Structure formats: structure tokens, C-alpha cells
Amino acid sequence: MQDEMTPGKGWALETLAIRAGHNRTHEQEHAEPIFPTSSFVYASAAEAARKFSGEEPGNVYSRFTNPTVATFEQRLAALENGERCVATSSGMAAILSTVLALLQSGDEIVASRSLFGSTVSLFDKYFAKLGITTHYVELADLAAWEAAITPRTRLLFAETPSNPLAELVDIAALAEIAHRHDALLAIDNCFLTPALQKPLTLGADLVIHSATKYLDGQGRAVGGAVVGRRQELDEVFGVVRTCGPCLSPFNAWIFTKGLETLDLRMRAHCANAQALAEWLQAHPAVARVHYSGLREHPQHELASRQQSGFGAVLSFEVQGEREAAWSVIDATRMLSITGNLGDVKSTITHPASTTHARLSPQQKAAAGISESLIRVAVGLEAIEDIRSDLARGLDALSN
């Protein structure tokens, strides 16, 4: 079935999300099976030798060959229009594996300032130990990206939209800059997923996912993935095979089933987020709302052009500082107070003290992470219930 279920065959994203990558066993199962096994057996020593050497395709050891993981990888590659996908144990493992595979000591990365806090720590603390230097620029400033590139630059890395301010970069323009300087462009696409944005189609070389987020969609498992051309992904696979940051078969199965409803969920998330953003914008206790679906957003036109939806994550600044932000969060009764996102359940957090807490005050200021900022990943509950839950704290602030 996989040969037929590829993007070039004319299948829609919704169909690929349900069908791609499922190679039925001899049992002819309808739903994708789970293969919770560490190893595989062979009919003969000669067959084992051929499989281990790669002369004959097949499963060897679940650290790097497992049918359930392969189904997820093939399906996500089809959705992102990539040649190959390599699944990993987490989104951070996906970034780690990519850099270990494609960069070496002396190389440089140019990245946006508005990155997930753990990504910044990975770049500054651990890649720096390997002799890989990272330079940070404003996400939307294409001139700054180009100015930061040196002859040693091998990778440009960006989240778009950013976490948590929903800033954007023109992916096609940034890809042109990267390629003119013989560098690769990697885009973290976990906020929008291939249902709403296709970075590879826009010119990016690599797409990074925390599958933990919207690819699963229900907060059940942790995992990650890298998608792109076979040339680069074969190198990433080598790191995962050797170093072992692999995805478990059970988690791969969860993500595969999550993909089946991805398009429906993302459209519903967008509708709720748009309604909430417009309501927040009108509330007297809210100083500013960050959501690219609002016409007032400085990059609304770009978002409308390179995305097919505006996503589920928004943030807003309240009138006041940390005490005011925490009072709004603590007043909620339904929203989950957690740093995670990508769930059918709405989540709320204070980025300055949670997801971005490890950043220095200077890094927070540069990234626009203020003490008054609250992030909401809008779920699929009734929008009137989400609004009323936030209104408890916001109304108290405005009275």
C-alpha cells in the first residue's frame, strides 16, 4: 500500500493521514498493529547475515528497525512531502540527532531568539561543548539572518510560529538565503503540523517535530521526528541507530493513530483559538494579544500566505506583572495548568516561570517573554467554557 499512498499520487492530506504507511501483514489486519518486540528472528543464518549487512531489507533490532515505527515515519513523511522521516524519543532528541548528524566542531548555527527554552539550552550549553557555535537573530528580520551567516554556517534553525509570541518568518525567503550560503534550513513545525503548514514545500530542507504535541493530540506520549530529503535523513538515521534516541513501538502506534484525526483537530483548534483571541483582545484587563489570526498582528498577511490556518497557541499580556498573571492562571477551574501543549484539553502557563524559566533575564527580554505574559494552547472544549474559565481571573483584574 505504501507505494500507492504517496503525495505524488494525488491523495489528499486527510487520506494520507489515515492510510499512508500501513503495510499489512499476512494476517490482513484492518488497523495498524503494534510490534512490541526487541528483536526479530530469521529462517536461516544466511538470511540473518543479509539483513544485518543491509543487503536485504527487513527488521533487525527495534532500536532502528521496527514495523510500527516505520508506519509512523512513512505516514508523517507523506504528510510533510518529505522523502524520509526518522522518528526519535522526543522533540529534543530530534534536534539533537539532526545536529549531531549534519554538523561538526567548528560549524555554526544561526537561530531565532524566540526558541523553546530547552532548545536554547541545548544549543548554548551542549552543542557549544562540541565546538558548535550558535548566533541568535530576530525571527522576522531577514537582513539579520543574512548578516549573521559566516563561511562556517551550516544550519539555520527557526520555530515559526514562535513559542509563545506567534512571531513568523518568511520560510521561502529564509530558505533562499540559506541555500545561497550553502546552509540547510530546519523549521520546527510542531505548532502548526503539516495540516496547516508545509515547510519543505516552501523550500526548507528539514522539518522538526515534537510529536508529543499535535501529532498525538491527546497528551498521551512523548516522541519526535525529523523529515526531509533522504540524503540528510540517512545521516540522522545513523545517529539514532548508533546513539539510541529511538521511538518506542507503542508511542509510534499512538502517534500513527493521532495522525488520523490531525486535519479535523487542527481546524477545530484554529476556530476556537480565533474566537478566544478576538474575545481577549476586547477584554479591558488584557493589554495585548499575540495571535497571527488577528488582523492587527504585524505578520497577519504572511501567516495568511504561508499557512492554511493560524494554529491553536496564543499568548496575551495582562495589565500588571507576575502577580497579576498568576492570579488569572490560578483562578481557572477547567484549563490545565501545565507547560505542555498540543492537547484536546486547553492548557495554560506562565512562560517566564515555566517553559522559558531557564533563560536569563536578558534572554527573556530579547525574546519578549515578560512577567505579564500568559500562554494558552486552546483545546477543543466548548469555546464558551474556555472563555468563562479565563473570565474569572480577568474580570477580577479589571474590577
Side-chain angles (χ1 to χ4, degrees):
M1 179 179 290
Q2 172 59 16
D3 289 341
E4 299 177 0
M5 299 302 297
T6 56
K9 300 291 183 179
W11 301 102
L13 180 138
E14 299 94 319
T15 304
L16 292 169
I18 293 171
R19 296 283 185 174
H22 182 190
N23 298 295
R24 292 192 178 95
T25 71
H26 67 279
E27 300 292 349
Q28 291 297 297
E29 71 282 345
H30 183 233
E32 298 82 355
I34 308 175
F35 288 85
T37 181
S38 59
S39 63
F40 303 85
V41 298
Y42 312 100
S44 67
E47 182 191 358
R50 292 194 300 272
K51 295 284 179 65
F52 269 74
S53 69
E55 177 185 347
E56 180 180 314
N59 300 302
V60 176
Y61 188 58
S62 278
R63 185 177 74 243
F64 56 95
T65 51
N66 180 277
T68 311
V69 177
T71 295
F72 168 65
E73 291 174 332
Q74 291 167 9
R75 187 166 295 181
L76 184 56
L79 296 182
E80 287 283 12
N81 291 336
E83 293 178 0
R84 183 173 184 181
C85 169
V86 174
T88 60
S89 57
S90 68
M92 294 308 302
I95 300 172
L96 173 67
S97 299
T98 298
V99 173
L100 289 180
L102 302 177
L103 277 71
Q104 60 186 5
S105 181
D107 288 345
E108 296 182 358
I109 299 169
V110 180
S112 60
R113 296 187 194 283
S114 47
L115 293 178
F116 177 46
S118 293
T119 305
V120 175
S121 296
L122 178 63
F123 286 2
D124 288 352
K125 184 174 181 180
Y126 297 102
F127 289 158
K129 288 183 179 181
L130 303 179
I132 298 171
T133 303
T134 303
H135 304 285
Y136 295 97
V137 298
E138 297 301 323
L139 177 61
D141 190 344
L142 293 173
W145 283 94
E146 184 141 30
I149 295 174
T150 76
R152 292 174 177 252
T153 302
R154 296 292 177 267
L155 180 69
L156 276 58
F157 188 97
E159 296 175 11
T160 181
S162 69
N163 176 18
L165 297 182
E167 299 167 301
L168 311 174
V169 69
D170 186 325
I171 296 174
L174 189 58
E176 192 277 329
I177 292 172
H179 298 156
R180 183 153 29 87
H181 292 277
D182 297 321
L184 298 171
L185 173 61
I187 297 293
D188 185 323
N189 198 32
C190 77
F191 270 34
L192 293 182
T193 81
L196 302 179
Q197 180 172 263
K198 298 285 188 67
L200 298 180
T201 302
L202 293 168
D205 303 287
L206 301 160
V207 171
I208 305 290
H209 278 287
S210 172
T212 312
K213 311 301 190 293
Y214 294 103
L215 298 189
D216 170 23
Q218 296 186 53
R220 300 169 293 186
V222 174
V226 189
V227 188
R229 291 185 298 262
R230 189 167 299 278
Q231 177 182 347
E232 285 82 26
L233 268 293
D234 286 351
E235 296 297 322
V236 176
F237 173 73
V239 170
V240 174
R241 173 174 181 158
T242 303
C243 302
C246 55
L247 184 64
S248 75
F250 183 72
N251 286 8
W253 180 81
I254 287 177
F255 297 143
T256 299
K257 304 310 288 182
L259 290 178
E260 293 182 350
T261 59
L262 178 64
D263 188 70
L264 289 171
R265 286 187 286 104
M266 294 310 295
R267 303 296 165 186
H269 278 297
C270 289
N272 266 3
Q274 184 72 36
L276 185 64
E278 292 173 0
W279 176 79
L280 287 167
Q281 193 174 40
H283 199 286
V286 175
R288 187 178 180 187
V289 181
H290 303 275
Y291 185 66
S292 64
L294 296 173
R295 294 188 181 277
E296 294 79 8
H297 189 281
Q299 295 172 295
H300 176 73
E301 186 277 331
L302 173 61
S304 301
R305 175 160 41 90
Q306 77 178 13
Q307 304 167 192
S308 58
F310 302 110
V313 180
L314 60 83
S315 61
F316 60 97
E317 298 170 49
V318 296
Q319 304 285 358
E321 291 295 325
R322 175 179 287 201
E323 183 179 352
W326 279 15
S327 71
V328 173
I329 293 170
D330 290 347
T332 61
R333 296 294 178 266
M334 181 190 70
L335 274 67
S336 302
I337 304 175
T338 177
N340 198 27
L341 56 91
D343 205 311
V344 294
K345 300 180 179 70
S346 295
T347 67
I348 188 169
T349 196
H350 181 248
S353 58
T354 59
T355 57
H356 293 69
R358 285 189 286 175
L359 299 184
S360 68
Q362 294 78 15
Q363 288 174 315
K364 289 178 186 177
I369 310 298
S370 68
E371 290 293 335
S372 64
L373 188 71
I374 296 172
R375 188 192 74 191
V376 176
V378 186
L380 301 185
E381 304 96 343
I383 185 60
E384 56 268 23
D385 291 333
I386 300 172
R387 284 193 298 242
S388 64
D389 207 33
L390 283 169
R392 290 187 181 93
L394 289 173
D395 290 350
L397 280 184
S398 60
N399 290 336

